[in-house]
Amino acid sequence: MVTVTLNGLSVDLRDRAVLHGISATLRPGELTGIIGPNGAGKSTLVRALLGLIPATRGAVEIDGHDIARMTPKALARLVSYLPQGQALHWPLSVERLVALGRLPGLGPMSRLGADDLAAVHAAMKRADVLHLAGRTATELSGGERARVMLARALAVGAPGLVADEPLAALDPGHQIDVMELLAAEANSGALVVTVLHDLTMAARYCKRLLLVDRGMLVAQGSPQEVLTSDRLRAVYGVTGRIEFGGGSAMVVPLERV
Amino acid sequence: MPEIPVLRARNRALIPLLLLGIALVAIASLMLGAVPIPTARLLDAALGHGDPVVRAILLELRLPRTLVALMVGGMLGLAGAALQGYLRNPLAEPSVLGASNSAALGAVAAIYFGIGDYSPAVLPVLSILAALASLALLFVLAGRAEGPLALILAGIAVSTLAGAGISLALNLSPNPFAAMEIMAWLLGSIENRAMDHVWIALPCIVGGAALLLWDGRALDALSLGEDGARSLGVDLARTRARLLLGVAIGVGGAVAVSGSVGFVGLIVPHLVRPLTDRSPSAVLLPSFLGGAALLTGADILVRLIPTAGELKLGVVTAFLGVPVFLVHLLKERRLW
């Protein structure tokens, strides 16, 4: 289990300040959602969290170790990443694609061992894509591909998982599939952080939300604490219907203000 | 534990078959030519006795020529496969980053200034140095950028600049014979290659091939994009440095002894890819072996096809390559 701490994290991209002094602690065992309007800096936050872009000021620490001082491989074994948009540049078979998740543990020119194959199999089973094993990944439907990409991230076997907009372009059924999978991973003790646009999904499945606006962390806490109509108005510029009751929370944007 | 079928039984026979193919083509290349050498005399000569003329043809003409064909073909195939994987672009080929043209410019300069006459080593060495210089220029132009596009654009700039230099040499060539010599060299040929050429190209190609084969895993990871690859622990800056260095040294060495032989680097990876699991790493070694076999085979054709003048290897590979490539692309296009 790992805990990620953001210590006054600021990121400038091409001299433009994108993130301003974000401090938060991301804990294992609770699905954490990062929400905020377009251009708020969610993806930048996620990329900084994974060490893909350096912190300009402040630091990201995993279990107290600054990730800027870790080797790319060591970091890759701690946190796996599901990037936005399911990019895949070659028509690989589903298995081969999922097996890419084992790379952080492999040396150059080495082969997959029995434990790697077991991890690949387990990840495919968890994401329910075993039946797609022999298919070509570029020929799958969007929903199938999303699950396959998720299996790829799970195959790393890292204690942490960061997903950037995993629900984009998915129908409601597949959205629920993916959220339930992420929640199950978190419940099994993993650190799972996901960027979301769908506030209902965020409210329903996340135990904790970070609301980012214009590069600043404007709220963090449980969905009830974070998702209020004042904040919808101030951050997203919309009115909305917000209901929390039992397991069927609902946040529906209504109109622009 | 349940089997994962494809990952296990992935075309184990491919590499042995390609090696067998190489052995057959290489033997054919030793036997066939203006003077056919039958198997029995080939064995005699190899064992160190038999007709001294046959031995001379075999050891001083056919053997170096065959070795050069194998090395150059292998290097071009491997460089094409590595670049297609790295740039994530099925159109990439060894010349895309400008190494081929620059190496050719180095050789053309040697011919143009007549300094190639001092020693047979001058031309190839100058050619390799030019390829390395192009690499330095490439790093200046696109060293820090991450995406493939900046690199491709810089490669086109370097390549065009070297091409302009070649045109200039042709334009200003002091006499038609110099221009003819330059043209002939640019068409690509491995005729009359001696063991000297083998010894010049061998270290470059071994070094270049090793650098390119090293990064197979990183190329696989790059099929998920730059962020995807880095999140899998790939050090992109080092991968790029190894790849560019490998291409410059290897392709530079290959062009130095063979001139510009086109198409092998583009088509070989496409031909072997369907026989693998299509991941960039799986295509690397088969592309080396396939390129070696293909170029050696093309060189046999050069010798056997009766033509008025001598047919150049680069011309044959282009004529062979285009139809094979087209048929293949039509079959495979659903995947792109």
Side-chain angles (χ1 to χ4, degrees):
Chain A
M1 288 212 259
V2 290
T3 302
V4 172
T5 316
L6 309 174
N7 271 336
L9 174 70
S10 298
V11 174
D12 298 353
L13 294 177
R14 294 178 189 272
D15 300 330
R16 194 173 63 88
V18 180
L19 293 180
H20 308 273
I22 291 186
S23 293
T25 303
L26 310 174
R27 289 185 197 84
E30 48 181 29
L31 181 57
T32 304
I34 299 176
I35 54 174
N38 292 124
K42 301 183 300 293
S43 290
T44 306
L45 175 57
V46 159
R47 297 184 71 219
L49 202 157
L50 288 152
L52 299 176
I53 40 175
T56 313
R57 286 170 301 283
V60 178
E61 291 173 359
I62 297 183
D63 287 345
H65 301 286
D66 188 345
I67 62 165
R69 291 202 203 96
M70 291 184 192
T71 64
K73 279 214 165 184
L75 189 54
R77 276 184 286 234
L78 285 177
V79 188
S80 64
Y81 176 42
L82 182 61
Q84 201 174 334
Q86 313 174 1
L88 179 62
H89 295 280
W90 294 103
L92 302 181
S93 76
V94 166
E95 282 175 322
R96 195 67 194 79
L97 173 59
V98 175
L100 288 181
R102 302 307 296 169
L103 287 183
L106 289 175
M109 295 195 274
S110 54
R111 296 198 165 275
L112 294 172
D115 47 341
D116 292 314
L117 294 180
V120 167
H121 187 270
M124 288 174 71
K125 193 169 181 189
R126 253 143 73 207
D128 191 21
V129 293
L130 270 178
H131 61 289
L132 301 173
R135 295 271 299 278
T136 302
T138 44
E139 292 176 345
L140 300 175
S141 74
E144 291 169 331
R145 195 150 153 190
R147 288 213 308 272
V148 169
M149 287 299 189
L150 193 54
R152 200 282 302 158
L154 294 177
V156 177
L161 167 66
V162 176
D164 195 355
E165 288 191 37
L167 303 185
L170 293 185
D171 65 42
H174 287 106
Q175 291 193 6
I176 290 175
D177 287 349
V178 168
M179 288 312 292
E180 280 185 344
L181 234 154
L182 293 177
E185 284 302 307
N187 289 337
S188 70
L191 168 83
V192 184
V193 180
T194 175
V195 172
L196 292 170
H197 269 305
D198 189 317
L199 299 178
T200 296
M201 287 295 176
R204 194 168 295 170
Y205 287 99
C206 293
K207 289 277 184 331
R208 199 150 158 266
L209 291 178
L210 307 185
L211 177 60
V212 184
D213 185 29
R214 278 165 255 163
M216 283 176 285
L217 183 61
V218 292
Q220 57 174 320
S222 70
Q224 272 113 322
E225 290 161 0
V226 172
L227 292 169
T228 62
S229 51
D230 288 348
R231 286 216 181 87
L232 278 194
R233 191 180 289 269
V235 173
Y236 288 93
V238 296
T239 60
R241 191 162 148 213
I242 304 173
E243 282 175 18
F244 285 99
S248 58
M250 199 164 69
V251 180
V252 183
L254 295 176
E255 59 189 13
R256 264 282 182 207
V257 287
Chain B
M1 194 192 75
E3 284 284 297
I4 299 185
V6 184
L7 280 181
R8 284 177 180 276
R10 143 168 46 114
N11 252 328
R12 288 247 171 98
L14 179 61
I15 302 271
L17 277 177
L18 282 171
L19 284 173
L20 181 68
I22 284 184
L24 292 176
V25 186
I27 291 170
S29 168
L30 293 174
M31 286 167 63
L32 299 172
V35 183
I37 304 176
T39 331
R41 299 177 76 183
L42 187 73
L43 275 177
D44 276 350
L47 293 173
H49 43 84
D51 189 345
V53 179
V54 171
R55 285 197 61 197
I57 293 177
L58 198 64
L59 295 180
E60 280 159 39
L61 294 175
R62 300 244 173 105
L63 184 63
R65 184 172 183 161
T66 305
L67 290 176
V68 167
L70 289 172
M71 288 193 306
V72 169
M75 189 63 229
L76 293 177
L78 173 60
L83 283 168
Q84 286 178 10
Y86 180 74
L87 300 172
R88 282 148 277 159
N89 190 328
L91 292 176
E93 52 158 341
S95 65
V96 77
L97 297 181
S100 308
N101 257 2
S102 307
L105 178 62
V108 166
I111 300 172
Y112 179 82
F113 293 111
I115 48 177
D117 304 335
Y118 295 121
S119 151
V122 170
L123 185 144
V125 168
L126 212 60
S127 174
I128 292 162
L129 290 178
L132 288 174
S134 81
L135 174 71
L137 187 59
L138 200 63
F139 263 109
V140 172
L141 289 176
R144 289 168 58 94
E146 282 211 332
L149 199 56
L151 193 62
I152 294 176
L153 290 175
I156 290 176
V158 172
S159 187
T160 312
L161 184 65
I166 294 171
S167 302
L168 183 69
L170 279 170
N171 189 176
L172 298 182
S173 67
N175 55 61
F177 300 108
M180 285 284 286
E181 202 186 334
I182 291 173
M183 281 308 296
W185 196 85
L186 287 176
L187 288 177
S189 168
I190 53 170
E191 218 159 337
N192 299 322
R193 293 298 181 263
M195 283 312 276
D196 286 350
H197 291 101
V198 174
W199 298 128
I200 288 168
L202 187 67
C204 296
I205 286 174
V206 168
L211 283 167
L212 296 184
L213 286 170
W214 183 263
D215 270 320
R217 295 285 179 205
L219 297 184
D220 284 354
L222 271 169
S223 40
L224 296 169
E226 269 97 17
D227 275 0
R230 287 214 288 163
S231 73
L232 287 172
V234 173
D235 188 331
L236 286 181
R238 287 190 190 174
T239 298
R240 161 172 292 201
R242 273 193 296 264
L243 184 108
L244 295 185
L245 196 62
V247 169
I249 296 177
V251 174
V255 172
V257 294
S258 69
S260 309
V261 178
F263 254 96
V264 176
L266 177 64
I267 59 169
V268 168
H270 284 277
L271 294 181
V272 298
R273 189 170 288 121
L275 307 174
T276 67
D277 61 17
R278 294 178 193 278
S279 59
S281 68
V283 181
L284 293 178
L285 190 57
S287 289
F288 186 95
L289 302 177
L294 192 83
L295 197 70
T296 312
D299 185 50
I300 296 175
L301 280 184
V302 167
R303 286 176 248 167
L304 294 185
I305 296 173
T307 44
E310 55 173 47
L311 200 54
K312 294 291 185 189
L313 183 58
V315 180
V316 173
T317 54
F319 266 110
L320 273 183
V322 176
V324 173
F325 192 49
L326 275 181
V327 167
H328 167 78
L329 284 191
L330 288 175
K331 268 197 300 192
E332 290 274 308
R333 67 182 160 185
R334 72 181 173 92
L335 288 173
W336 297 112

